[in-house]
Amino acid sequence: MQAHKIPLFKHWVSEWLARSVIFAILMTCLFSFALYSSPVTVMGYYGVAPTDVQYAMVLIYGSTVTFLALDSRIVKYFTSRKYLLMALATNGICTLICFHSKSWPLFLICQFAQGITCALLSGIVLHLVFPRLHSTRARVIGYTILYAGIQISIPLYSIYCSMVLHYLDFNWLFYGANILLLLLTATVLITMDAKARLHKKIPLYQVDWIGYLFYTSFVLLLGYILIYGRQLGWFSSTVICQLVLTAVCILILFIIREMRLKRPLINLRIFKAKNFVIGLLLLFVFYLFKGSTGLTYSHLETILKTDPLHTIPIWLAVISATVLSMYVTARFILLGTHLIRMIIVGFIIMGLYYTYMLLFISVTGSTADFILPMFIYGIATGVLFVPIVTFTVSAAPPKIAINASMIGILARFIGFCSSMAVNNELQLFTRAAVQDQVRHAVNQINPQLPLTLQQIEQTYQNAGNDGLKSQVAANAFFNTILKEQILARASRDYYDLMLTGVVLVIIILIFLPKIQQVVLRLTKFNVPY
C-alpha cells in the first residue's frame, strides 16, 4: 500500500475521536491570538505603547497569512504527524522563551515564529478535512464548523485569560499554553500513524522562497504603515513615505515574479474573476466593521469600570450567538437561499448593533446592558462570515480555486489592520470634534460652571474634607466626568459613521446586478481560509 494511502489515524481511533483531535489542533493553533484579549495587561507587562501591542497582533497574523501560501507545498513533503510535531515543538519553545523573558524584541520574534506554527497547524486542519468532503452539503457543514471554531476561539480564550489574569501574572498565560501544547502533543503521538501522509511525497524543488520573502516583507510593511501611520503623522513623516515606497516596489517585484513563474507562490490570475474581487472586498469591509467592537470593550473598561471577570457574560453571549447563527445560516445555504440576500441580511443585523449602541451608550449603565447588543453582533458575524466566504469561493475559477484561500486570508488581514487604523483615526477625529464643542460650552463665562464645581466641592466638605482638599478633589472629579462625557459622545459619533458605512454597503449590494449571478459552487479544490 502506498504511503499516502495509509489512514492518518490509527485503526482503533473512532471517527468522532479523530474529528475531536482535528478540532483540538485548530483551537490550539489560535491560542496565541488570545494573549491580546487584554492589551492593557500586555502594555503593563512589557512596558510598551498601545500601537506596539497592535503591531504585535499584526506580526503574528501577517506571519500566518504569508506562510499559508508556502504551506501548501511543504505539507506534501513531510509525513503528517512529523509535520504536526514540528509545529507543536516550535510553538512550545517560543512559549517557554516568552514565559522566562520580558524582552519585547524577543517576544516579537517569538510571535513571528508562532504565526508560522499557526499556519502549519491550521494548514494541516484544512488538508485533513476538506479534500475528504465530497458532497456540497458536507463542505458547507465543514466550512461552518471551521469558521465557528475560528470566531469563538478569541472570546473563549478571552474568558480563560480573564480568569488567569484575575489571580496570576501575565506570564502565566504562557505556562497554560505550554500545558495545552503538551496535552495535544501526547494526543497526536497516541492517535496518529507515524507513516501516514496527506499527499504523495513531493520534493521541495521549485518552491518560491524568494516570492515568500517578498510577500512577507510587503505584508509586514503594510501592517506597520497602517498601525504606526497616525502616530508618525502619515505622509508628513519621512519614515512613512520611505516605507510606502519600499512596500510598493516589493509588491511590483512580487507581481512580476509570480506572473512569470510556472509554479508561483500565488496564482494572481485569479483576480481576473470580477465577482471574486467583489467577494474579497466584502471580506475586507466585514472585517472593517467587525473591528469596531474593540470600542465597546474599551467603553466597558474605561467608563463603566467593569472588571474583566464581569465581561464573561458578554463573551458567552457572543459565543452562543455566533454558533447559533452559523448553524442556521448553514441550513439556509443548503436550502439554496441566495447568498447575496443572506449577506444583505447580515449587514442589516450589523446595522441593528450600531443602532442599539447609538441609542444606549452613555456614562451610566451596567455590564448587563451590553449583553443584548453583543448578542446581536454575534448573530451578524455568524450570518455574514460563511455566506461571504462561500460567495467568494464560488466566484473563483475551479482550476485555480485553491488560490482563493491564500488571497482570502490576505483580504481578512488587510481588513483587520485597516480596522485598527480606521478606529484610531476616527476616534481621534470624533474626540477632537467633541472636545472642541465642550471647550466652547464649558468655560469661565458659563454661569453653570462655578455652581457645579461649588456643589461638588460642598459634597466633599460634607464628607469631612477641608476647603483646599475639597477644591482640588472637586476639580479632579469634574475633569474625570468631563472626559467620560467626551468619550461617550465621541463613541456615539463613531458608531454613527459606522452605521452610515453599513447602509452604503447594503445599498451597493442591492444595486449591483452582476453579483446576483453567482451560484453556490464548492468543488474539492476549494479549500477555505
Side-chain angles (χ1 to χ4, degrees):
M1 181 180 290
Q2 296 179 5
H4 65 286
K5 296 295 184 181
I6 298 174
L8 188 63
F9 290 92
K10 295 179 180 179
H11 67 278
W12 56 267
V13 177
S14 66
E15 183 63 25
W16 280 106
L17 179 57
R19 293 177 182 179
S20 300
V21 173
I22 294 171
F23 191 76
I25 294 170
L26 171 66
M27 299 303 289
T28 302
C29 77
L30 299 168
F31 183 87
S32 298
F33 291 93
L35 297 174
Y36 304 100
S37 59
S38 180
V40 176
T41 308
V42 181
M43 289 161 52
Y45 184 76
Y46 287 102
V48 295
T51 47
D52 296 326
V53 177
Q54 289 180 340
Y55 188 68
M57 286 190 280
V58 168
L59 192 66
I60 186 172
Y61 198 170
S63 176
T64 303
V65 168
T66 57
F67 198 83
L68 272 174
L70 202 62
D71 175 76
S72 60
R73 282 297 308 276
I74 298 177
V75 74
K76 296 175 182 178
Y77 180 76
F78 295 100
T79 58
S80 301
R81 195 174 79 166
K82 182 184 291 186
Y83 199 53
L84 271 173
L85 292 176
M86 285 193 303
L88 293 171
T90 305
N91 201 328
I93 292 169
C94 290
T95 305
L96 199 61
I97 291 172
C98 292
F99 177 72
H100 289 286
S101 171
K102 291 184 69 173
S103 169
W104 181 250
L106 190 58
F107 175 76
L108 293 180
I109 293 171
C110 290
Q111 289 294 279
F112 181 83
Q114 286 179 309
I116 293 176
T117 63
C118 180
L120 294 179
L121 293 170
S122 58
I124 281 283
V125 171
L126 299 181
H127 288 283
L128 279 174
V129 177
F130 292 94
R132 301 170 185 270
L133 302 177
H134 301 290
S135 67
T136 299
R137 184 178 186 279
R139 291 189 195 99
V140 171
I141 294 172
Y143 274 45
T144 304
I145 294 173
L146 174 74
Y147 296 130
I150 292 174
Q151 291 299 303
I152 69 172
S153 63
I154 300 301
L156 188 65
Y157 284 134
S158 295
I159 294 173
Y160 164 77
C161 292
S162 297
M163 297 176 68
V164 171
L165 293 175
H166 185 75
Y167 299 102
L168 301 169
D169 293 333
F170 176 78
N171 62 328
W172 284 94
L173 291 176
F174 299 115
Y175 184 79
N178 258 332
I179 292 176
L180 190 65
L181 289 169
L182 286 172
L183 291 174
L184 183 60
T185 301
T187 304
V188 168
L189 284 169
I190 294 170
T191 60
M192 295 183 69
D193 194 298
K195 297 180 180 180
R197 56 173 63 249
L198 294 167
H199 306 276
K200 184 178 180 179
K201 184 175 181 178
I202 299 178
L204 293 177
Y205 62 87
Q206 294 185 343
V207 177
D208 191 10
W209 297 102
I210 297 176
Y212 167 71
L213 292 176
F214 282 152
Y215 190 32
T216 303
S217 301
F218 170 74
V219 164
L220 297 185
L221 280 175
L222 178 64
Y224 189 93
I225 292 166
L226 291 173
I227 298 303
Y228 288 100
R230 162 44 50 197
Q231 180 178 314
L232 297 176
W234 291 113
F235 292 103
S236 61
S237 167
T238 306
V239 175
I240 291 296
C241 292
Q242 290 174 346
L243 290 178
V244 169
L245 183 61
T246 304
V248 171
C249 291
I250 291 174
L251 179 61
I252 292 172
L253 290 173
F254 177 72
I255 292 172
I256 293 172
R257 178 178 177 82
E258 298 307 292
M259 295 300 290
R260 290 181 176 180
L261 287 181
K262 182 179 179 181
R263 293 182 176 87
L265 188 71
I266 300 174
N267 193 330
L268 299 179
R269 292 176 179 82
I270 196 170
F271 282 100
K272 292 181 179 180
K274 293 182 180 179
N275 283 325
F276 175 74
V277 176
I278 292 174
L280 295 180
L281 291 174
L282 287 174
L283 270 174
F284 171 81
V285 170
F286 168 61
Y287 264 73
L288 204 60
F289 292 131
K290 189 174 181 291
S292 65
T293 54
L295 189 60
T296 305
Y297 297 115
S298 176
H299 181 85
L300 283 167
E301 183 178 347
T302 307
I303 295 181
L304 299 185
K305 306 295 188 297
T306 304
D307 184 86
L309 285 182
H310 290 89
T311 60
I312 290 178
I314 295 177
W315 292 119
L316 292 174
V318 174
I319 292 171
S320 58
T322 302
V323 173
L324 177 64
S325 58
M326 280 195 167
Y327 172 78
V328 173
T329 302
R331 303 305 299 178
F332 275 105
I333 292 176
L334 291 173
L335 290 173
T337 307
H338 204 284
L339 294 174
I340 289 299
R341 290 175 186 171
M342 283 190 287
I343 293 172
I344 291 173
V345 169
F347 279 116
I348 290 173
I349 298 172
M350 185 70 79
L352 291 177
Y353 161 71
Y354 287 125
T355 303
Y356 186 101
M357 298 304 295
L358 274 171
L359 295 174
F360 293 98
I361 194 169
S362 67
V363 294
T364 60
S366 64
T367 307
D369 297 331
F370 287 82
I371 293 178
L372 179 59
M374 294 311 293
F375 186 83
I376 295 172
Y377 160 77
I379 291 176
T381 299
V383 172
L384 282 169
F385 206 171
V386 176
I388 289 177
V389 170
T390 306
F391 173 88
T392 308
V393 170
S394 297
K399 291 184 179 180
I400 54 176
I402 193 170
N403 293 273
S405 61
M406 305 168 196
I407 302 296
I409 195 171
L410 176 63
R412 286 167 52 190
F413 169 79
I414 296 175
F416 172 76
C417 296
S418 300
S419 70
M420 289 193 286
V422 169
N423 288 350
N424 293 339
E425 198 72 29
L426 284 181
Q427 286 182 48
L428 285 174
F429 173 76
T430 53
R431 287 184 194 180
V434 174
Q435 284 174 343
D436 188 58
Q437 295 173 3
V438 169
R439 188 172 61 251
H440 287 87
V442 182
N443 51 49
Q444 294 299 325
I445 63 173
N446 189 329
Q448 187 62 39
L449 178 60
L451 293 175
T452 302
L453 288 173
Q454 186 178 358
Q455 290 174 357
I456 298 172
E457 187 177 339
Q458 186 63 46
T459 302
Y460 279 100
Q461 289 179 355
N462 293 338
N465 296 288
D466 59 36
L468 182 60
K469 286 184 177 179
S470 298
Q471 185 179 6
V472 173
N475 287 326
F477 181 73
F478 181 76
N479 288 331
T480 300
I481 293 176
L482 206 59
K483 288 178 181 178
E484 290 178 351
Q485 291 287 352
I486 290 171
L487 182 58
R489 178 66 258 183
S491 298
R492 284 196 291 271
D493 291 345
Y494 174 84
Y495 285 124
D496 191 31
L497 291 170
M498 290 291 103
L499 179 60
T500 303
V502 169
V503 172
L504 288 175
V505 170
I506 293 171
I507 293 172
I508 292 171
L509 289 176
I510 291 174
F511 291 100
L512 268 180
K514 289 187 177 181
I515 60 176
Q516 309 294 335
Q517 301 170 4
V518 174
V519 295
L520 180 64
R521 185 178 67 240
L522 301 177
T523 70
K524 64 180 180 180
F525 301 107
N526 294 124
V527 179
Y529 36 85

